[in-house]
Amino acid sequence: MYHVMVIDDEPTICQSLTFALEDEYHVYAFTDPREALPLLERTEIAIVLLDLKIGEYDGMKILEEIKRISPSTIVIIMTAYGSIPSSVEAMRKGAFSYATKPLHIDELEVLMQKAEEVYALQSKVRWLSDELEKVTDNNGLIGESAAMREVFTLIDKVKDIGSNILITGESGTGKEVVARTIHYESKRRNKRFQAINCAAIPSHLLESELFGHEKGAFTGALQRKAGLFVLADGGTIFLDEIGEMDLALQGKLLRVLQERKVMPVGGTEEIEIDVRIVAATNRDLAKEVKENRFREDLYYRLNVIPMHLPPLRERKEDIPLLVKFFIRKIGDKMGKPVEGIAEEALRLLQQYSFPGNIRELQNMIERAIALTNSSCIQKDDLPAEIKNHTRAFISNTLIPIYVGETMDEVEKKVILHNLADFNGNQRRTAQIIGIGERTMRDKIKKYREQK
């Protein structure tokens, strides 16, 4: 249901238009433009019905202010017969059309439908433009290493298969980039790609975001809202950080995967959907299942086609390609063209373990471009942790490892001994031993729970 605003200094017109339109739109009516304009900054208003003569106010000025605040809002001018030339002038300044007073509801409804179509088309163009930018700005789905060639081959094999995909890998390895690539390489490319980070939204709100809600379903649900599964119908939904979803919601998601239907919060009728599911996690979900933190049946539903993304430290031969890409992309965005990177600076980057993976590399290049006074990124433009980083041993302390110990036990010793040597500094420890900070936090939490 679109939001519509009526601005007219006659209360009877505001009341009658509200009554005529409220079944199809969420209507806000104002007799004072000063009260109406702030709402445009807070709410997405699709259509404004604006009187050209609003008491002491000049409707043309109000039109200009509306288009300044919300350029995509469709404005229909309401005017008396004698003011048609003014209405034509208003259309030159951005109004969509005009309706003459006294208003005929049948004619107004036709005009509103046309305005709604234009608004919907504009919204789709904006969305497609944003999506195109995200696809072309692929943030690092680049590489010639054997590990990345395997990823590209798998993407090509599965792109048109409807089976669910589970992408695993450390934070910053490009899981959403891969999901978008799968979608836009597939036959679903003309439908929506909807992404949501399950860790970024509280559980009680996540259900509404995924499945939608009816008006009045909970406090603050002022109108009906379609969920991401419905919006992605015919396309792809990407569930990032799926391992963070609580068990109750996991059960509801499982039912959606089984039935291919969603029930909005507060709803009474299910909605059929045709959506491809791509999920991602940096957790070991098989281990989460054993520890009763993730549903086994949901895990097997999601993990039909597993895809693992290697960390950057395991594909260092791709760093020069990534650096070249980020220099061009970021330099263009900043309006500060940089020709390349000095050999010594590139060598330092290739020696670094990149616990933050591609995202960390991108941030470093952005910082270097912003700070450099040269046409080429130099060693001094890189952050201190890169310039001071060395793979030489920090001390002569040895960690005892015995024949027969498991890899989990060896890993625990390496982490805890290094952590002690670095006085509990988790970030530095993660950098030195070559794992992600989030992985480090999860490991330490696990060790504490085992005590």
Side-chain angles (χ1 to χ4, degrees):
M1 183 179 284
Y2 287 117
H3 293 251
V4 170
M5 179 184 289
V6 178
I7 306 177
D8 195 300
D9 61 343
E10 295 184 42
T12 53
I13 291 181
C14 288
Q15 290 168 7
S16 60
L17 285 175
T18 299
F19 179 76
L21 300 173
E22 63 185 358
D23 289 341
E24 298 295 328
Y25 305 97
H26 192 98
V27 183
Y28 304 89
F30 298 92
T31 56
D32 188 338
R34 291 175 301 179
E35 297 176 3
L37 294 176
L39 183 65
L40 284 162
E41 298 176 347
R42 305 192 304 268
T43 305
E44 186 177 345
I45 303 294
I47 303 169
V48 172
L49 294 170
L50 173 66
D51 189 16
L52 261 187
K53 301 291 183 182
I54 320 169
E56 62 186 275
Y57 300 102
D58 181 355
M60 209 74 77
K61 296 285 187 184
I62 302 302
L63 167 64
E64 292 174 356
E65 192 64 13
I66 290 171
K67 298 304 287 184
R68 183 190 67 79
I69 296 171
S70 180
S72 60
T73 296
I74 306 296
V75 180
I76 297 173
I77 297 298
M78 299 184 293
T79 183
Y81 280 108
S83 301
I84 289 178
S86 298
S87 303
V88 173
E89 178 63 24
M91 291 173 67
R92 289 196 186 101
K93 293 189 175 183
F96 170 69
S97 187
Y98 65 89
T100 55
K101 291 182 176 181
L103 298 173
H104 297 282
I105 295 302
D106 291 344
E107 294 177 6
L108 181 62
E109 286 178 351
V110 172
L111 193 54
M112 292 286 287
Q113 287 174 5
K114 291 179 180 177
E116 191 177 324
E117 289 171 4
V118 170
Y119 182 78
L121 183 60
Q122 287 180 354
S123 298
K124 187 170 184 179
V125 168
R126 287 198 310 274
W127 176 79
L128 288 172
S129 178
D130 290 343
E131 289 299 298
L132 181 62
E133 184 177 346
K134 290 172 185 174
V135 175
T136 54
D137 176 17
N138 61 17
N139 287 319
L141 193 58
I142 293 171
E144 296 178 348
S145 62
M148 287 308 295
R149 286 200 301 270
E150 287 181 16
V151 171
F152 297 144
T153 299
L154 186 54
I155 288 173
D156 190 56
K157 285 181 178 179
V158 306
K159 62 185 181 183
D160 286 323
I161 298 172
S163 303
N164 299 332
I165 297 175
L166 180 62
I167 305 174
T168 57
E170 294 176 9
S171 179
T173 49
K175 296 186 286 293
E176 182 172 345
V177 176
V178 169
R180 285 184 184 277
T181 302
I182 292 169
H183 173 76
Y184 286 104
E185 290 288 323
S186 77
K187 57 190 178 185
R188 293 177 177 265
R189 67 178 69 89
N190 293 323
K191 297 294 184 177
R192 288 201 173 204
F193 175 91
Q194 293 287 347
I196 188 167
N197 187 323
C198 299
I201 301 174
S203 297
H204 65 286
L205 296 178
L206 183 57
E207 180 179 358
S208 169
E209 288 294 317
L210 291 173
F211 309 141
H213 64 253
E214 297 294 338
K215 182 179 179 180
F218 50 83
T219 303
L222 301 179
Q223 63 185 48
R224 186 176 185 274
K225 178 182 177 180
L228 295 185
F229 273 94
V230 172
L231 294 176
D233 190 37
T236 304
I237 188 165
F238 175 60
L239 304 174
D240 198 9
E241 304 287 5
I242 189 70
E244 308 297 327
M245 184 180 288
D246 73 22
L247 288 167
L249 191 51
Q250 287 177 31
K252 295 178 181 179
L253 176 61
L254 176 65
R255 189 173 186 283
V256 171
L257 299 188
Q258 291 171 333
E259 304 294 331
R260 294 288 162 175
K261 296 177 181 179
V262 296
M263 174 68 81
V265 177
T268 56
E269 293 185 10
E270 292 184 316
I271 304 170
E272 289 191 11
I273 54 166
D274 170 26
V275 177
R276 185 181 196 174
I277 314 296
V278 180
T281 182
N282 57 16
R283 291 181 175 272
D284 182 343
L285 285 192
K287 188 176 288 186
E288 296 291 299
V289 168
K290 290 179 183 178
E291 296 176 358
N292 298 316
R293 288 195 292 264
F294 200 85
R295 290 183 62 124
E296 184 176 24
D297 43 10
L298 178 59
Y299 171 64
Y300 287 118
R301 278 277 178 181
L302 294 172
N303 196 35
V304 178
I305 300 175
M307 181 180 291
H308 181 71
L309 298 189
L312 188 53
R313 64 182 174 276
E314 293 179 7
R315 44 177 290 222
K316 289 192 173 184
E317 60 267 49
D318 292 332
I319 288 178
L321 289 173
L322 289 163
V323 169
K324 181 179 179 181
F325 169 75
F326 287 135
I327 286 175
R328 185 181 70 251
K329 170 194 141 185
I330 296 168
D332 288 347
K333 277 190 176 181
M334 283 189 181
K336 187 178 179 181
V338 173
E339 294 176 6
I341 184 169
E343 200 171 309
E344 184 182 14
L346 181 60
R347 187 169 62 251
L348 285 172
L349 289 174
Q350 289 180 290
Q351 292 174 355
Y352 184 62
S353 59
F354 284 103
N357 293 296
I358 297 169
R359 188 180 297 122
E360 184 180 10
L361 173 61
Q362 180 179 1
N363 291 341
M364 285 184 181
I365 298 301
E366 183 173 351
R367 174 188 182 277
I369 291 174
L371 297 180
T372 189
N373 294 318
S374 170
S375 61
C376 199
I377 293 174
Q378 304 295 323
K379 171 185 174 181
D380 289 342
D381 299 320
L382 300 177
E385 60 261 34
I386 294 287
K387 292 182 285 188
N388 299 333
H389 182 73
T390 175
R391 293 306 303 163
F393 294 117
I394 305 300
S395 74
N396 294 322
T397 304
L398 299 178
I399 301 173
I401 296 174
Y402 302 99
V403 173
E405 285 191 290
T406 65
M407 286 302 297
D408 281 348
E409 290 168 339
V410 171
E411 179 188 65
K412 182 177 179 180
K413 283 185 177 181
V414 170
I415 289 174
L416 294 181
H417 277 77
N418 276 280
L419 189 64
D421 271 11
F422 289 108
N423 299 315
N425 187 323
Q426 294 184 21
R427 186 166 189 267
R428 182 67 173 142
T429 302
Q431 289 174 346
I432 290 298
I433 65 177
I435 65 174
E437 286 185 63
R438 186 168 191 150
T439 302
M440 169 69 73
R441 290 196 300 270
D442 289 344
K443 296 286 186 186
I444 293 171
K445 181 181 178 183
K446 174 186 169 184
Y447 300 151
R448 286 171 180 162
E449 290 173 352
Q450 291 174 346
K451 287 183 179 180

